[in-house]
């Protein structure tokens, strides 16, 4: 019985450990804008991820991971799951990363 309870508690705690903090990853004191081509979109919980290929000033390309709210929150905000498709050019405003990772929260 003790083993079962320990395993159950560990399994229940895993999602809390695995989930990340917005404030530990993104700078909400400033914002950035970028325009690029959607290369992938993952419309699933816990967050929607849009991968955007952006042209740098020198002509090279950079792939950004734009994280957003959950699919439910996106739909409540008026953005249905078919609004953004691979190959589209989009312009977004986002909170930049606190690290050198090519990720932002849009």
């Amino acid at each position: 019985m003790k083993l079962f309870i320990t395993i159950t508690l560990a399994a229940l705690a895993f999602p809390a450990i695995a989930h990340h903090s917005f404030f530990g990853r993104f700078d909400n004191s400033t914002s950035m804008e970028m325009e690029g081509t959607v290369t992938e979109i993952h419309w699933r919980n816990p967050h929607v991820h849009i991968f955007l290929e952006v042209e740098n000033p020198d002509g090279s390309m950079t792939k950004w991971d734009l994280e957003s709210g959950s699919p439910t929150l996106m739909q409540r905000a008026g953005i249905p799951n078919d609004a953004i498709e691979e190959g589209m050019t989009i312009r977004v405003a986002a909170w930049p990363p606190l690290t050198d990772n090519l990720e932002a929260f849009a």
Side-chain angles (χ1 to χ4, degrees):
M1 183 69 169
K2 268 187 177 179
L3 179 60
F4 174 75
I5 291 171
T6 303
I7 292 171
T8 302
L9 290 176
L12 291 174
F14 181 73
I17 294 168
H19 201 83
H20 53 266
S21 167
F22 170 89
F23 296 103
R25 293 178 56 214
F26 304 106
D27 183 357
N28 70 337
S29 68
T30 187
S31 64
M32 60 188 288
E33 289 187 20
M34 65 179 80
E35 183 174 322
T37 303
V38 176
T39 59
E40 289 178 66
I41 184 161
H42 299 171
W43 197 274
R44 56 182 171 248
N45 284 320
H47 301 278
V48 172
H49 283 264
I50 301 165
F51 295 90
L52 196 65
E53 194 168 57
V54 177
E55 186 174 356
N56 298 312
D58 66 1
S60 64
M61 303 300 279
T62 302
K63 188 173 182 180
W64 282 82
D65 175 3
L66 304 177
E67 183 175 324
S68 198
S70 71
T72 302
L73 289 176
M74 297 286 281
Q75 289 178 342
R76 286 182 185 166
I79 305 170
N81 63 350
D82 60 354
I84 302 169
E85 298 176 355
E86 290 180 14
M88 290 178 78
T89 298
I90 62 172
R91 183 171 183 80
V92 297
W95 286 296
L98 290 170
T99 65
D100 292 332
N101 294 340
L102 296 176
E103 62 181 0
F105 194 89

